[in-house]
Amino acid sequence: EFNKEALKGISIFKNEEFKVNYSINLIEDKNWNEVWEKSFEPINVNNQCFIRAPFHEVRNDIKYNIEIEPKMSFGTGHHQTTYMMCEAILESEIEEKKILDMGSGTGVLAILAEIEGAREILAVDIEPWSVENCKKNALDNKCEKITSLLGDIDAVVNQTFDVIFANINKNILICHLPFYERALNPDGLLYLSGFFDSDADDLKRESAKLGLSFSRQNKREGWCMLVFKK
């Protein structure tokens, strides 16, 4: 759909104060899905959980195999924050817990939570394609306790949770903190990630204002995960 003539009409190119040089390179069409498959590597989380695409071989020597087809959604385990969240689920006692996964993306955290014995999981994302992707990945992994919902915190009303996972970004997390505090059951745990280690103090300070007790943190290649208790 590229229109070379329309490009010339962009006003910045007509500005007399400076000159903008640009070049156009038309890329040869190819099987982009095949290209993606060649570059997509599976993730091994502490030899306990193997996150793979449908075209990867199953690892029978690892306890959990999760099949994720990411498409345009976030959450394959490649990012440091997703990896740390998966580690946290593997280390936590979430059996029979009610879980909220905010910013669920592919649904990998929700899927792992169900595998680990969670009673009920609500996965929420603001992107329609992520919601559909989460539903498909849950189905492919034979999960039956995950509800994938389109929306933000305003879509989660009159519900409380034993555990909340929120892997988003610092500014949104700070904005959402009052909601998380209200939505947590007593003694509930809040896992936050999606931000740099340098942002941790800001999130600790804002959480303390709401009466959330800092429990622990984890770091991975400059990224951070914080855990709070109500």
Side-chain angles (χ1 to χ4, degrees), residues 70-221:
K71 295 189 180 293
M72 294 173 64
S73 305
F74 180 84
T76 58
H78 288 83
H79 198 275
Q80 294 86 345
T81 58
T82 311
Y83 189 99
M84 287 189 290
M85 285 294 217
C86 289
E87 278 187 319
I89 294 173
L90 292 167
E91 295 168 358
S92 303
E93 295 181 3
I94 61 173
E95 190 171 355
E96 292 302 314
K97 303 288 188 183
K98 184 179 179 182
I99 310 291
L100 172 62
D101 179 12
M102 284 297 300
S104 52
T106 63
V108 63
L109 301 184
I111 292 167
L112 183 55
E114 176 166 338
I115 292 173
E116 280 282 272
R119 169 172 54 89
E120 180 182 344
I121 307 105
L122 179 60
V124 182
D125 203 289
I126 62 172
E127 302 292 356
W129 62 76
S130 290
V131 174
E132 294 306 312
N133 190 207
C134 178
K135 289 178 180 178
K136 183 181 186 306
N137 286 328
L139 184 65
D140 290 344
N141 287 276
K142 297 179 173 57
C143 292
E144 300 176 347
K145 300 176 181 178
I146 299 171
T147 300
S148 185
L149 182 66
L150 175 66
D152 206 336
I153 54 173
D154 55 355
V156 186
V157 293
N158 302 322
Q159 292 194 62
T160 58
F161 303 87
D162 302 307
V163 181
I164 296 176
F165 295 104
N167 185 15
I168 311 177
N169 69 56
K170 172 192 170 183
N171 293 333
I172 294 177
L173 290 174
I174 288 177
C175 181
H176 284 184
L177 275 173
F179 163 79
Y180 296 149
E181 189 278 330
R182 292 192 301 269
L184 268 179
N185 290 325
D187 296 322
L189 293 175
L190 171 63
Y191 293 78
L192 302 180
S193 196
F195 51 90
F196 294 114
D197 180 42
S198 57
D199 294 325
D201 287 343
D202 291 340
L203 283 156
K204 289 178 184 177
R205 183 169 53 253
E206 295 301 317
S207 298
K209 292 178 183 178
L210 297 167
L212 294 169
S213 300
F214 172 67
S215 177
R216 64 184 177 89
Q217 73 182 54
N218 193 11
K219 302 176 184 178
R220 186 176 176 86
E221 298 175 4

Side-chain angles (χ1 to χ4, degrees), residues 17 56 61:
E17 296 183 26
H56 292 134
D61 59 325

